[in-house]
Amino acid sequence: MTVDRQRVERLTRELLEAIGEDPDRPGLKQTPSRMAELYTEFFSGVGEDPAAPLAHTISVTRGPAPDTLPSGAVLLRDIRFRSVCEHHLLPFAGHAHIAYLPGEQVVGLGALVRVVEVLAARPQVQERLGEQIADTIAEHLDTRGVLVVLDASHGCVTMRGGRQTEASTLTIAARGVYADPVARTELITLIGLSAGSEASRDGSAL
């Protein structure tokens, strides 16, 4: 789905008028077009298939490196992401940590990053975003278990209401063997050592 840039510009002008501003004054004259460009970027994942990046897989037994079969999980930490909360259309941003226990097929690590990017580039809530990432990987990749941990700061918490600038939100989505808390203990420990998680807690992710 392509963002209707002209409509965004028109509605931005209406919004500026609704708050008592003059959209034709010098400081705001380019704001509608800037908002159209911003929304085109922020919501580029609407209608896009998040599973598409997982279509190209590599056989661990018949591929170019058959002696590299992982004996444990593949863990990709500190994937920076940003999204827009659907409740107030304010940004939230932080780090995603993804682990999966491979079967016979593995996927390029960049594909996992792309799954996060596609699903984050639409109106979201963090809880659903993590679940959608986990479902996409579990359903479209040969895996025995998936774990997705998101650690993010939310504009609706840091910029409005109580304005808790130090607050961050941590969510966990697990599938397969990692639905068992004991089975995912090692991964949670490894993720906890992440420098990126500390960065999101100090608010630098926004």
Side-chain angles (χ1 to χ4, degrees):
M1 178 180 177
T2 302
V3 172
D4 187 337
R5 295 173 64 99
Q6 290 185 338
R7 189 175 182 186
V8 171
E9 289 188 31
R10 184 171 68 253
L11 293 173
T12 301
R13 285 185 59 87
E14 291 185 19
L15 177 61
L16 291 171
E17 291 172 349
I19 64 173
E21 266 289 1
D22 175 12
D24 290 317
R25 73 173 174 84
L28 292 175
K29 200 164 188 178
Q30 299 302 317
T31 298
S33 63
R34 293 189 185 107
M35 287 297 294
E37 182 177 354
L38 176 71
Y39 275 26
T40 297
E41 177 183 346
F42 271 20
F43 301 124
S44 61
V46 175
E48 188 172 349
D49 181 8
L54 303 177
H56 179 68
T57 59
I58 305 166
S59 169
V60 295
T61 57
R62 300 187 302 277
D67 57 342
T68 58
L69 176 65
S71 60
V74 176
L75 171 60
L76 183 59
R77 302 190 308 181
D78 297 331
I79 303 169
R80 292 188 68 93
F81 77 93
R82 61 105 179 94
S83 189
V84 176
C85 176
E86 64 185 34
H87 296 158
H88 299 97
L89 294 185
L90 286 174
F92 66 94
H95 293 82
H97 314 282
I98 299 176
Y100 74 98
L101 190 59
E104 209 283 322
Q105 297 286 325
V106 293
V107 70
L109 297 178
L112 300 177
V113 175
R114 186 59 186 149
V115 170
V116 175
E117 291 175 339
V118 170
L119 288 169
R122 55 184 66 174
Q124 275 289 12
V125 293
Q126 181 175 331
E127 297 90 337
R128 185 176 66 223
L129 176 59
E131 298 293 334
Q132 289 179 340
I133 294 170
D135 283 339
T136 299
I137 297 171
E139 293 170 10
H140 298 277
L141 190 61
D142 180 17
T143 176
R144 291 167 283 158
V146 179
L147 179 67
V148 177
V149 178
L150 302 183
D151 188 1
S153 295
H154 290 247
C156 57
V157 175
T158 62
M159 298 167 61
R160 63 175 297 278
R163 300 183 185 181
Q164 297 296 312
T165 58
E166 302 296 322
S168 71
T169 300
L170 189 71
T171 56
I172 297 174
R175 302 292 183 270
V177 297
Y178 294 130
D180 177 5
V182 175
R184 61 179 182 249
T185 299
E186 179 184 16
L187 295 175
I188 294 295
T189 301
L190 291 172
I191 291 170
L193 299 176
S194 166
S197 294
E198 294 301 321
S200 70
R201 291 190 188 97
D202 68 18
S204 61
L206 284 175

